[in-house]
Amino acid sequence: MSTTGTDPTAPPRDSGLRALLRGRSELGVCLILLVLGVLVLTDAITMDTDITQRGPIGPTTVPIVVGVLLLVVAVLLAVDVLRGGRGEAEGGEDIDLTEPGDWRTVALLAGVFLANAVLIGPLGFPISGALLFWGSAYALGSRNLTRDPLIAAVLSLVTYVVFNNLLGVPLPGGPLMGVL
Amino acid sequence: MDSLSSLIDGFGTALTPLNLLWAAIGVLLGTAIGVLPGIGPAMAVALLLPVTYGLDPTGAFIMFAGIYYGGMFGGSTTSILLNTPGESAAVVAAIEGNPMARAGRGAQALAAAACGHFAGGMIGTILLVVLAPTVASLAVDIGAPDYFAIMVLAFIAVTSVLGSSRIRGFASLLIGLTLGLVGLDQMTGQQRLTFGSLQLADGIDVVIVAVGLFAIGEALWVAAHLRRTAGESIPVGRPWLGKAELRRTWKPWLRGPLIGFPFGAIPAGGAEIPTFLSYVTEKRLSKHRDEFGRGAIEGVAGPESASSASAAGTLVSMLTLGLPTTAVAAVMLAAFQQYGIQPGPLLFEREPELVWGLIASLFVGMVLLLVLNLPLAPVWAKLLRIPRPYLYAGILFFAAVGAYAVGGEPLDLVILLIIGLIGLGMRRYGLPVLPAVIGVILGPAAEQQLRRALQISDGSVTGLVNTPFSITVYAVILVLLGWPWIKRVLSRGRAARAED
């Protein structure tokens, strides 16, 4: 849903193909809700309910209600979108909605974040966390090759010590902590 | 009288050196977070949820409450100096505060806001002390049908009162309820939506959902639309107020809480509506009506006082009924669940030390905030210069730490990213985040209460409405569902007034 390449913030009076595409991209939300509803309903209906059930409603009742409501909301939202209703993109202090979405940065950040999930085991938190911070700052446009890695390393080490040693929340030390 | 002696005991808890330290950390973090763009108090508390694994509940909640109040204080600083309110509660502060700052009266605007927060917070917290035990004792006999009714109220309230589109609110709520269904059914042990995965059988931890939606979702959304040219902050000196200003501000300070507190306690969207109502009231009552829109100090003092008082009102509903009316309250409720504590009428009986320690620490926090904010405002304003790449990289970094701390599972980081991407999509398409979080936090509990109530009544639906309390709550729900019409009437009146 994040690769439509259309400008999410163009005023509604924007006409032609662009407006049509915008409408279509929000229909993706309806599709997701629809799929989610089907998923919840299928899961509920195929559930074994042989297990002795206490009380009049069992483990499937609420999922069925939620699943049906998901389908209903998906349809209602689609109707709303087709009638010209638009979800208002969220604003904020650092958000400039007049520019088109920069989805390349988002993809880069997601990649860096996934890399951290993979590396935290083998490399340990102090290294993978530093890479996460440096990588994210780089993706966001910071290019200072001495200050960025330095801040990343210090932040990561301090966080490791605070959580692991002071707060008693274990984080993997990895080979680096083995050496030190 | 009873609550007075409890409160004194509470001060005994709050004034221990360690708890004072947590209160100080809380208000410092809260102010910094309020000043910093992109981070709201809800995200801050969500990011700090992992510390609940290593901290006693009293200390943790004292810190969280400090963050909540501190965030309100700090939020107005950005509104006044930058004219870019990050939170809806601070929008009104920008209307009059920013013109004041541009006219060289930023110091007075900051002082009026800080003292307003102090007055509002103090009066609001006093009302909390007086009212909360009464509400709790009135609600003390409530059973499963009543709890279920309250939770339905929370669902309906967050979807129909907040945000601009009800249908999008409901879509968000259902996404949250679906996430809450994942895992073993609490009553039968049946696997739901686990797709055979052992890890999903434990359910998706609330911490991961809250951090994913609030922190990762927000950071990614900002990354997609990062403002390349940062707004210029107006340089400002030490906040101070002259005699003429004091004469104009003391009444708005006292009036603000009267509007803010009740609106905070009911599920009507936290500080957004009361700050606006307070602004309109001050405008009508002011002798300097012509100054409004160009920097009238009453328009800063009243709304800021109302916003802090609404935070106290929020705590009344959260502590006595377990009903979260704002995002921060929702995340604090998640923290209560982490400790296995159920907020509600019995909380005052079962955890008096925690509750009264928390309330007493609010008073302590207020004083700390006033002391910190008046002389240090120019220092806080410097925080606005932090390079944005570091700020958002830091948010991603701490989100990863928090999610990993939950269970030490790299898979949790992947789930966190997926939920973050959902949060990104929600922001892009105008789905409010709060209903989803409320759905995850309250959904499983609501289902349990529903099934318990129906077990008691042997399956008869009348078992859900057989108490005066539940009938009252359902009546309130009906009023809420009729809210768009009420609101239309209100805004028509407001528009007429604005034309005056």
PDB file of all heavy atoms in Angstrom, chain B residues 194-222:
ATOM      1  N   THR B 194      -3.282 -18.635  15.377  1.00  0.00           N
ATOM      2  CA  THR B 194      -1.862 -18.857  15.622  1.00  0.00           C
ATOM      3  C   THR B 194      -1.199 -19.524  14.430  1.00  0.00           C
ATOM      4  O   THR B 194       0.025 -19.543  14.334  1.00  0.00           O
ATOM      5  CB  THR B 194      -1.646 -19.757  16.844  1.00  0.00           C
ATOM      6  OG1 THR B 194      -2.296 -20.999  16.587  1.00  0.00           O
ATOM      7  CG2 THR B 194      -2.220 -19.135  18.085  1.00  0.00           C
ATOM      8  N   PHE B 195      -2.005 -20.119  13.532  1.00  0.00           N
ATOM      9  CA  PHE B 195      -1.495 -20.809  12.347  1.00  0.00           C
ATOM     10  C   PHE B 195      -0.413 -21.818  12.734  1.00  0.00           C
ATOM     11  O   PHE B 195       0.595 -21.969  12.063  1.00  0.00           O
ATOM     12  CB  PHE B 195      -0.966 -19.804  11.316  1.00  0.00           C
ATOM     13  CG  PHE B 195      -1.950 -18.710  11.049  1.00  0.00           C
ATOM     14  CD1 PHE B 195      -1.739 -17.437  11.560  1.00  0.00           C
ATOM     15  CD2 PHE B 195      -3.109 -18.962  10.338  1.00  0.00           C
ATOM     16  CE1 PHE B 195      -2.668 -16.429  11.340  1.00  0.00           C
ATOM     17  CE2 PHE B 195      -4.039 -17.952  10.109  1.00  0.00           C
ATOM     18  CZ  PHE B 195      -3.824 -16.689  10.611  1.00  0.00           C
ATOM     19  N   GLY B 196      -0.622 -22.475  13.868  1.00  0.00           N
ATOM     20  CA  GLY B 196       0.284 -23.528  14.301  1.00  0.00           C
ATOM     21  C   GLY B 196       1.607 -23.046  14.868  1.00  0.00           C
ATOM     22  O   GLY B 196       2.458 -23.853  15.210  1.00  0.00           O
ATOM     23  N   SER B 197       1.815 -21.740  14.961  1.00  0.00           N
ATOM     24  CA  SER B 197       3.090 -21.246  15.474  1.00  0.00           C
ATOM     25  C   SER B 197       3.082 -21.208  16.995  1.00  0.00           C
ATOM     26  O   SER B 197       2.160 -20.681  17.614  1.00  0.00           O
ATOM     27  CB  SER B 197       3.364 -19.849  14.913  1.00  0.00           C
ATOM     28  OG  SER B 197       4.195 -19.142  15.801  1.00  0.00           O
ATOM     29  N   LEU B 198       4.125 -21.794  17.565  1.00  0.00           N
ATOM     30  CA  LEU B 198       4.220 -21.825  19.029  1.00  0.00           C
ATOM     31  C   LEU B 198       4.371 -20.417  19.588  1.00  0.00           C
ATOM     32  O   LEU B 198       3.838 -20.080  20.635  1.00  0.00           O
ATOM     33  CB  LEU B 198       5.427 -22.655  19.445  1.00  0.00           C
ATOM     34  CG  LEU B 198       5.141 -24.114  19.798  1.00  0.00           C
ATOM     35  CD1 LEU B 198       6.422 -24.794  20.213  1.00  0.00           C
ATOM     36  CD2 LEU B 198       4.102 -24.199  20.916  1.00  0.00           C
ATOM     37  N   GLN B 199       5.149 -19.595  18.866  1.00  0.00           N
ATOM     38  CA  GLN B 199       5.428 -18.256  19.365  1.00  0.00           C
ATOM     39  C   GLN B 199       4.158 -17.407  19.410  1.00  0.00           C
ATOM     40  O   GLN B 199       3.943 -16.637  20.337  1.00  0.00           O
ATOM     41  CB  GLN B 199       6.445 -17.574  18.463  1.00  0.00           C
ATOM     42  CG  GLN B 199       7.620 -17.071  19.223  1.00  0.00           C
ATOM     43  CD  GLN B 199       8.925 -17.505  18.589  1.00  0.00           C
ATOM     44  OE1 GLN B 199       8.956 -17.911  17.442  1.00  0.00           O
ATOM     45  NE2 GLN B 199       9.983 -17.403  19.336  1.00  0.00           N
ATOM     46  N   LEU B 200       3.290 -17.605  18.386  1.00  0.00           N
ATOM     47  CA  LEU B 200       2.056 -16.823  18.359  1.00  0.00           C
ATOM     48  C   LEU B 200       1.062 -17.326  19.401  1.00  0.00           C
ATOM     49  O   LEU B 200       0.141 -16.618  19.776  1.00  0.00           O
ATOM     50  CB  LEU B 200       1.422 -16.868  16.962  1.00  0.00           C
ATOM     51  CG  LEU B 200       2.113 -16.022  15.900  1.00  0.00           C
ATOM     52  CD1 LEU B 200       1.409 -16.158  14.563  1.00  0.00           C
ATOM     53  CD2 LEU B 200       2.158 -14.561  16.321  1.00  0.00           C
ATOM     54  N   ALA B 201       1.243 -18.576  19.874  1.00  0.00           N
ATOM     55  CA  ALA B 201       0.312 -19.116  20.856  1.00  0.00           C
ATOM     56  C   ALA B 201       0.323 -18.296  22.147  1.00  0.00           C
ATOM     57  O   ALA B 201      -0.672 -18.233  22.869  1.00  0.00           O
ATOM     58  CB  ALA B 201       0.650 -20.567  21.158  1.00  0.00           C
ATOM     59  N   ASP B 202       1.442 -17.638  22.444  1.00  0.00           N
ATOM     60  CA  ASP B 202       1.507 -16.775  23.627  1.00  0.00           C
ATOM     61  C   ASP B 202       0.782 -15.463  23.406  1.00  0.00           C
ATOM     62  O   ASP B 202       0.708 -14.632  24.305  1.00  0.00           O
ATOM     63  CB  ASP B 202       2.966 -16.439  23.967  1.00  0.00           C
ATOM     64  CG  ASP B 202       3.663 -17.636  24.555  1.00  0.00           C
ATOM     65  OD1 ASP B 202       2.952 -18.526  25.059  1.00  0.00           O
ATOM     66  OD2 ASP B 202       4.902 -17.691  24.508  1.00  0.00           O
ATOM     67  N   GLY B 203       0.321 -15.256  22.193  1.00  0.00           N
ATOM     68  CA  GLY B 203      -0.298 -13.973  21.887  1.00  0.00           C
ATOM     69  C   GLY B 203       0.756 -12.951  21.525  1.00  0.00           C
ATOM     70  O   GLY B 203       1.957 -13.188  21.697  1.00  0.00           O
ATOM     71  N   ILE B 204       0.305 -11.814  20.987  1.00  0.00           N
ATOM     72  CA  ILE B 204       1.230 -10.734  20.663  1.00  0.00           C
ATOM     73  C   ILE B 204       1.249  -9.801  21.860  1.00  0.00           C
ATOM     74  O   ILE B 204       0.215  -9.283  22.267  1.00  0.00           O
ATOM     75  CB  ILE B 204       0.786  -9.981  19.391  1.00  0.00           C
ATOM     76  CG1 ILE B 204       0.693 -10.963  18.226  1.00  0.00           C
ATOM     77  CG2 ILE B 204       1.746  -8.853  19.069  1.00  0.00           C
ATOM     78  CD1 ILE B 204       0.150 -10.350  16.950  1.00  0.00           C
ATOM     79  N   ASP B 205       2.425  -9.604  22.424  1.00  0.00           N
ATOM     80  CA  ASP B 205       2.535  -8.803  23.637  1.00  0.00           C
ATOM     81  C   ASP B 205       2.065  -7.365  23.389  1.00  0.00           C
ATOM     82  O   ASP B 205       2.360  -6.764  22.353  1.00  0.00           O
ATOM     83  CB  ASP B 205       3.989  -8.790  24.106  1.00  0.00           C
ATOM     84  CG  ASP B 205       4.101  -8.395  25.556  1.00  0.00           C
ATOM     85  OD1 ASP B 205       3.946  -7.191  25.855  1.00  0.00           O
ATOM     86  OD2 ASP B 205       4.308  -9.285  26.381  1.00  0.00           O
ATOM     87  N   VAL B 206       1.317  -6.833  24.379  1.00  0.00           N
ATOM     88  CA  VAL B 206       0.788  -5.475  24.262  1.00  0.00           C
ATOM     89  C   VAL B 206       1.917  -4.465  24.052  1.00  0.00           C
ATOM     90  O   VAL B 206       1.769  -3.487  23.316  1.00  0.00           O
ATOM     91  CB  VAL B 206      -0.018  -5.115  25.531  1.00  0.00           C
ATOM     92  CG1 VAL B 206      -0.478  -3.679  25.461  1.00  0.00           C
ATOM     93  CG2 VAL B 206      -1.205  -6.021  25.669  1.00  0.00           C
ATOM     94  N   VAL B 207       3.070  -4.718  24.699  1.00  0.00           N
ATOM     95  CA  VAL B 207       4.202  -3.802  24.555  1.00  0.00           C
ATOM     96  C   VAL B 207       4.591  -3.691  23.083  1.00  0.00           C
ATOM     97  O   VAL B 207       4.836  -2.596  22.563  1.00  0.00           O
ATOM     98  CB  VAL B 207       5.411  -4.306  25.379  1.00  0.00           C
ATOM     99  CG1 VAL B 207       6.617  -3.444  25.121  1.00  0.00           C
ATOM    100  CG2 VAL B 207       5.081  -4.314  26.855  1.00  0.00           C
ATOM    101  N   ILE B 208       4.619  -4.835  22.401  1.00  0.00           N
ATOM    102  CA  ILE B 208       5.035  -4.821  21.000  1.00  0.00           C
ATOM    103  C   ILE B 208       4.023  -4.080  20.141  1.00  0.00           C
ATOM    104  O   ILE B 208       4.390  -3.295  19.264  1.00  0.00           O
ATOM    105  CB  ILE B 208       5.257  -6.268  20.514  1.00  0.00           C
ATOM    106  CG1 ILE B 208       6.465  -6.823  21.247  1.00  0.00           C
ATOM    107  CG2 ILE B 208       5.437  -6.326  19.015  1.00  0.00           C
ATOM    108  CD1 ILE B 208       6.839  -8.204  20.887  1.00  0.00           C
ATOM    109  N   VAL B 209       2.735  -4.284  20.433  1.00  0.00           N
ATOM    110  CA  VAL B 209       1.713  -3.581  19.662  1.00  0.00           C
ATOM    111  C   VAL B 209       1.821  -2.073  19.907  1.00  0.00           C
ATOM    112  O   VAL B 209       1.828  -1.273  18.965  1.00  0.00           O
ATOM    113  CB  VAL B 209       0.304  -4.080  20.028  1.00  0.00           C
ATOM    114  CG1 VAL B 209      -0.734  -3.306  19.240  1.00  0.00           C
ATOM    115  CG2 VAL B 209       0.181  -5.563  19.742  1.00  0.00           C
ATOM    116  N   ALA B 210       1.925  -1.679  21.171  1.00  0.00           N
ATOM    117  CA  ALA B 210       1.964  -0.247  21.499  1.00  0.00           C
ATOM    118  C   ALA B 210       3.210   0.406  20.901  1.00  0.00           C
ATOM    119  O   ALA B 210       3.128   1.469  20.276  1.00  0.00           O
ATOM    120  CB  ALA B 210       1.922  -0.047  23.011  1.00  0.00           C
ATOM    121  N   VAL B 211       4.377  -0.233  21.084  1.00  0.00           N
ATOM    122  CA  VAL B 211       5.611   0.343  20.546  1.00  0.00           C
ATOM    123  C   VAL B 211       5.555   0.370  19.015  1.00  0.00           C
ATOM    124  O   VAL B 211       5.951   1.345  18.378  1.00  0.00           O
ATOM    125  CB  VAL B 211       6.845  -0.451  21.036  1.00  0.00           C
ATOM    126  CG1 VAL B 211       8.096   0.000  20.319  1.00  0.00           C
ATOM    127  CG2 VAL B 211       7.023  -0.288  22.534  1.00  0.00           C
ATOM    128  N   GLY B 212       5.025  -0.702  18.417  1.00  0.00           N
ATOM    129  CA  GLY B 212       4.952  -0.770  16.958  1.00  0.00           C
ATOM    130  C   GLY B 212       4.080   0.322  16.387  1.00  0.00           C
ATOM    131  O   GLY B 212       4.476   1.041  15.466  1.00  0.00           O
ATOM    132  N   LEU B 213       2.881   0.471  16.954  1.00  0.00           N
ATOM    133  CA  LEU B 213       1.946   1.451  16.396  1.00  0.00           C
ATOM    134  C   LEU B 213       2.386   2.877  16.707  1.00  0.00           C
ATOM    135  O   LEU B 213       2.360   3.742  15.844  1.00  0.00           O
ATOM    136  CB  LEU B 213       0.535   1.213  16.945  1.00  0.00           C
ATOM    137  CG  LEU B 213      -0.201  -0.010  16.405  1.00  0.00           C
ATOM    138  CD1 LEU B 213      -1.560  -0.149  17.076  1.00  0.00           C
ATOM    139  CD2 LEU B 213      -0.375   0.073  14.900  1.00  0.00           C
ATOM    140  N   PHE B 214       2.798   3.133  17.958  1.00  0.00           N
ATOM    141  CA  PHE B 214       3.127   4.506  18.338  1.00  0.00           C
ATOM    142  C   PHE B 214       4.518   4.916  17.866  1.00  0.00           C
ATOM    143  O   PHE B 214       4.697   5.999  17.342  1.00  0.00           O
ATOM    144  CB  PHE B 214       3.036   4.694  19.851  1.00  0.00           C
ATOM    145  CG  PHE B 214       1.630   4.836  20.352  1.00  0.00           C
ATOM    146  CD1 PHE B 214       1.129   3.970  21.300  1.00  0.00           C
ATOM    147  CD2 PHE B 214       0.803   5.835  19.880  1.00  0.00           C
ATOM    148  CE1 PHE B 214      -0.174   4.088  21.766  1.00  0.00           C
ATOM    149  CE2 PHE B 214      -0.497   5.964  20.327  1.00  0.00           C
ATOM    150  CZ  PHE B 214      -0.978   5.086  21.276  1.00  0.00           C
ATOM    151  N   ALA B 215       5.525   4.062  18.076  1.00  0.00           N
ATOM    152  CA  ALA B 215       6.900   4.492  17.826  1.00  0.00           C
ATOM    153  C   ALA B 215       7.351   4.181  16.397  1.00  0.00           C
ATOM    154  O   ALA B 215       7.727   5.081  15.645  1.00  0.00           O
ATOM    155  CB  ALA B 215       7.839   3.845  18.840  1.00  0.00           C
ATOM    156  N   ILE B 216       7.330   2.904  16.010  1.00  0.00           N
ATOM    157  CA  ILE B 216       7.816   2.544  14.678  1.00  0.00           C
ATOM    158  C   ILE B 216       6.927   3.176  13.606  1.00  0.00           C
ATOM    159  O   ILE B 216       7.410   3.776  12.648  1.00  0.00           O
ATOM    160  CB  ILE B 216       7.826   1.018  14.489  1.00  0.00           C
ATOM    161  CG1 ILE B 216       8.649   0.353  15.585  1.00  0.00           C
ATOM    162  CG2 ILE B 216       8.357   0.653  13.105  1.00  0.00           C
ATOM    163  CD1 ILE B 216      10.102   0.311  15.325  1.00  0.00           C
ATOM    164  N   GLY B 217       5.601   3.050  13.789  1.00  0.00           N
ATOM    165  CA  GLY B 217       4.684   3.613  12.804  1.00  0.00           C
ATOM    166  C   GLY B 217       4.926   5.101  12.620  1.00  0.00           C
ATOM    167  O   GLY B 217       4.997   5.608  11.497  1.00  0.00           O
ATOM    168  N   GLU B 218       5.090   5.821  13.733  1.00  0.00           N
ATOM    169  CA  GLU B 218       5.299   7.271  13.664  1.00  0.00           C
ATOM    170  C   GLU B 218       6.644   7.601  13.004  1.00  0.00           C
ATOM    171  O   GLU B 218       6.722   8.472  12.146  1.00  0.00           O
ATOM    172  CB  GLU B 218       5.235   7.865  15.078  1.00  0.00           C
ATOM    173  CG  GLU B 218       5.444   9.359  15.168  1.00  0.00           C
ATOM    174  CD  GLU B 218       4.249  10.163  14.664  1.00  0.00           C
ATOM    175  OE1 GLU B 218       3.165   9.580  14.509  1.00  0.00           O
ATOM    176  OE2 GLU B 218       4.425  11.360  14.410  1.00  0.00           O
ATOM    177  N   ALA B 219       7.703   6.880  13.405  1.00  0.00           N
ATOM    178  CA  ALA B 219       9.032   7.183  12.861  1.00  0.00           C
ATOM    179  C   ALA B 219       9.046   6.949  11.348  1.00  0.00           C
ATOM    180  O   ALA B 219       9.593   7.756  10.587  1.00  0.00           O
ATOM    181  CB  ALA B 219      10.092   6.322  13.552  1.00  0.00           C
ATOM    182  N   LEU B 220       8.423   5.847  10.897  1.00  0.00           N
ATOM    183  CA  LEU B 220       8.410   5.558   9.460  1.00  0.00           C
ATOM    184  C   LEU B 220       7.573   6.595   8.705  1.00  0.00           C
ATOM    185  O   LEU B 220       7.926   7.024   7.612  1.00  0.00           O
ATOM    186  CB  LEU B 220       7.862   4.150   9.199  1.00  0.00           C
ATOM    187  CG  LEU B 220       8.737   2.992   9.691  1.00  0.00           C
ATOM    188  CD1 LEU B 220       8.071   1.665   9.378  1.00  0.00           C
ATOM    189  CD2 LEU B 220      10.123   3.045   9.069  1.00  0.00           C
ATOM    190  N   TRP B 221       6.450   6.998   9.325  1.00  0.00           N
ATOM    191  CA  TRP B 221       5.579   7.980   8.680  1.00  0.00           C
ATOM    192  C   TRP B 221       6.297   9.322   8.554  1.00  0.00           C
ATOM    193  O   TRP B 221       6.235   9.979   7.516  1.00  0.00           O
ATOM    194  CB  TRP B 221       4.278   8.105   9.471  1.00  0.00           C
ATOM    195  CG  TRP B 221       3.329   9.164   8.998  1.00  0.00           C
ATOM    196  CD1 TRP B 221       2.791  10.166   9.736  1.00  0.00           C
ATOM    197  CD2 TRP B 221       2.771   9.320   7.682  1.00  0.00           C
ATOM    198  NE1 TRP B 221       1.951  10.922   8.970  1.00  0.00           N
ATOM    199  CE2 TRP B 221       1.914  10.437   7.702  1.00  0.00           C
ATOM    200  CE3 TRP B 221       2.918   8.626   6.481  1.00  0.00           C
ATOM    201  CZ2 TRP B 221       1.214  10.875   6.592  1.00  0.00           C
ATOM    202  CZ3 TRP B 221       2.218   9.068   5.366  1.00  0.00           C
ATOM    203  CH2 TRP B 221       1.377  10.173   5.428  1.00  0.00           C
ATOM    204  N   VAL B 222       7.015   9.714   9.598  1.00  0.00           N
ATOM    205  CA  VAL B 222       7.772  10.959   9.518  1.00  0.00           C
ATOM    206  C   VAL B 222       8.868  10.831   8.468  1.00  0.00           C
ATOM    207  O   VAL B 222       9.110  11.744   7.670  1.00  0.00           O
ATOM    208  CB  VAL B 222       8.370  11.343  10.889  1.00  0.00           C
ATOM    209  CG1 VAL B 222       9.295  12.541  10.749  1.00  0.00           C
ATOM    210  CG2 VAL B 222       7.273  11.663  11.888  1.00  0.00           C
TER     211      VAL B 222
END
